[in-house]
Amino acid sequence: MNIRRRFGAAAVFLTVVLMVSSTATSSLAISSLETFSLATSSFMTLPFVTVALAAERTELPRRYDGRGAGRTASVRDQGDLGTCWAFASLLALENRLLPAENWSFSTDHMSNNPDFAIGQEGGGEYTIALAYLLSWQGPVREEDDPYGDGVSPEGLTAVKHVQEVRILPEYDRDAIKRAVLDYGGVQGSLYVTLRVSLGTSDDGGTETILKVGSGDTGYYRADTTAYYYPQESVPNHDVVIVGWDDDFPKENFAVQPETDGAFLCENSWGSQFGENGFFYVSYCDANLGQTAIAYTGVEDADNYDCIYQSDRCGWIGQLGYGTETAWAANAYTASSAQILEAAGFYATGTNTAYQIYVSASLPGMDETKTAKLRLAAEGQLEDAGYYTIPFQTKFRLNEKERFFVIIRLTTPDAVHPIAVEYDAGDGKCRVDLDDGEGYISPDGETWTRAETEQGCNVCLKAYSRGR
């Protein structure tokens, strides 16, 4: 069984191999659920759903500028702190809601997330932003937690619920453009060479902190606000792509790329940088587009009454049995009389096929009861990312009833298709293994306890409404 670790602005991967028998079963006894009640709809009638980008595959315009469409939020200034990742995430989220809704979300609240020990000086990356947003810890309003004081008040609640995030294919220029048109902006990472200063990291050492440079640094040309870095490097800065120009002259760059064309990016270095805070990055840049995040599903905060979860640090690694298919499950206890309506999980690769089941128990876990898996939804997901899948079949739950949400995922060419939260040993995450009851399986018949036997939580959430 493999756990693959995700970290860093470029989503760098390490592989840690844990040896375990694929036929191992947990010795934990799962109590039967006497009063669990299921809807009578047959799973045979459920539709198969394919989720893809909303834009039709029509010809794209040669030029688009989100500023002219009123779809760019106000430019911010991160100052000397390493918070570009949080600014980029929340700017992309604000742009997603424009022009219908005009929000200013708190970067302080996201970057002071107590589930992570990175500090505001140490930098971060998009998976930390996703963990914060998808667990409904935020976003909160800027006025409720202003930037720069290093303190976030307790008790603030999310004013929006992020329910879906797409991770676009690497360096797919057309996919980025379509996502910008559909969703207002795409969070991306690049390697910048502009002037830096030294700050103090969490361990007392020194760390480079990006600052606004002046003039021509070799790769940035100030008079044309154009940047191009030709070498692959670990990205160190996040921006939001808000437009493009296929005819942006290659001669505008300090180092000339092979072709014309550039993405328009919104930065977090204040309006004094670039063109009032915006600048162009060449299509040929070796790093922009390697990671491209679109916030595709943002809903009002009253969309569900309750979220069940055990992965507040989010997608840190991946589990699998060396094949494209694996099963996972989380057990939860209803906090009140509710209707179970949806589940959320990460697709760790493209074209992931899923089946979601709900049951009172797991197959093979309780010899006194035959588990009846009820199919709640199935489909296929074109892009990697996080998805909330509404159930075609709803489930009535009584207060204090235990229930299992179960997923079967098949991700082409993957050997570890299940996203998990675990302590990677780098001191960045405060993972709690006491808040969940998760299971993994190669076949849906034999199950291994995730927390006690693999040291991880399964990234599988459930959503309900009161009744």
Side-chain angles (χ1 to χ4, degrees), residues 107-379:
T107 306
D108 222 44
H109 197 260
M110 175 182 279
S111 56
N112 283 323
N113 187 344
D115 292 326
F116 292 87
I118 57 174
Q120 291 184 310
E121 298 82 9
E125 57 119 2
Y126 76 91
T127 58
I128 300 175
L130 297 195
Y132 166 86
L133 293 170
L134 295 171
S135 60
W136 292 2
Q137 297 179 69
V140 305
R141 296 178 299 181
E142 170 70 17
E143 63 190 71
D144 294 330
D145 187 0
Y147 183 67
D149 61 3
V151 177
S152 290
E154 295 182 0
L156 299 179
T157 59
V159 295
K160 286 287 183 179
H161 286 166
V162 176
Q163 301 293 153
E164 181 180 293
V165 181
R166 311 277 182 93
I167 302 173
L168 305 180
E170 291 185 4
Y171 302 110
D172 190 329
R173 191 183 304 166
D174 283 353
I176 292 173
K177 291 178 179 179
R178 294 187 189 281
V180 169
L181 283 177
D182 286 344
Y183 307 113
V186 170
Q187 180 179 356
S189 301
L190 69 162
Y191 180 80
V192 296
T193 61
L194 304 184
R195 181 168 57 89
V196 299
S197 64
L198 292 179
T200 303
S201 63
D202 290 341
D203 60 4
T206 58
E207 188 161 357
T208 56
I209 304 297
L210 292 169
K211 296 192 72 173
V212 177
S214 59
D216 188 341
T217 65
Y219 298 99
Y220 175 70
R221 184 172 164 184
D223 64 326
T224 57
T225 66
Y227 182 80
Y228 165 55
Y229 190 74
Q231 303 171 10
E232 289 189 14
S233 300
V234 177
N236 58 7
H237 188 56
D238 275 15
V239 296
V240 182
I241 302 170
V242 296
W244 67 87
D245 185 350
D246 291 346
D247 301 312
F248 192 84
K250 60 185 178 182
E251 291 80 13
N252 282 358
F253 295 93
V255 177
Q256 187 169 305
E258 293 183 1
T259 64
D260 293 341
F263 284 113
L264 175 66
C265 299
E266 184 172 6
N267 206 358
S268 56
W269 292 345
S271 59
Q272 74 275 21
F273 172 79
E275 185 181 322
N276 298 316
F278 296 81
F279 70 117
Y280 287 92
V281 179
S282 170
Y283 286 158
C284 297
D285 188 90
N287 303 291
L288 185 66
Q290 181 182 27
T291 300
I293 309 300
Y295 295 86
T296 53
V298 186
E299 301 179 14
D300 291 337
D302 60 355
N303 58 345
Y304 300 105
D305 294 328
C306 187
I307 181 173
Y308 294 93
Q309 60 183 336
S310 60
D311 60 328
R312 287 170 61 93
C313 291
W315 179 9
I316 300 175
Q318 294 168 220
L319 267 172
Y321 291 87
T323 63
E324 296 178 346
T325 298
W327 294 66
N330 270 342
Y332 295 114
T333 300
S335 57
S336 62
Q338 297 172 354
I339 304 294
L340 186 63
E341 295 196 351
F345 59 90
Y346 292 94
T348 58
T350 59
N351 298 314
T352 292
Y354 66 87
Q355 293 86 40
I356 307 174
Y357 302 88
V358 175
S359 180
S361 60
L362 287 179
M365 295 298 293
D366 186 352
E367 296 180 356
T368 66
K369 185 173 182 176
T370 301
K372 295 181 179 179
L373 302 186
R374 303 298 180 96
L375 187 65
E378 64 176 340

Side-chain angles (χ1 to χ4, degrees), residues 66-89:
R67 294 173 294 184
R71 301 186 70 188
T72 54
S74 299
V75 171
R76 312 290 171 77
D77 189 346
Q78 69 186 76
D80 287 340
L81 299 177
T83 51
C84 63
W85 59 277
F87 274 101
S89 173

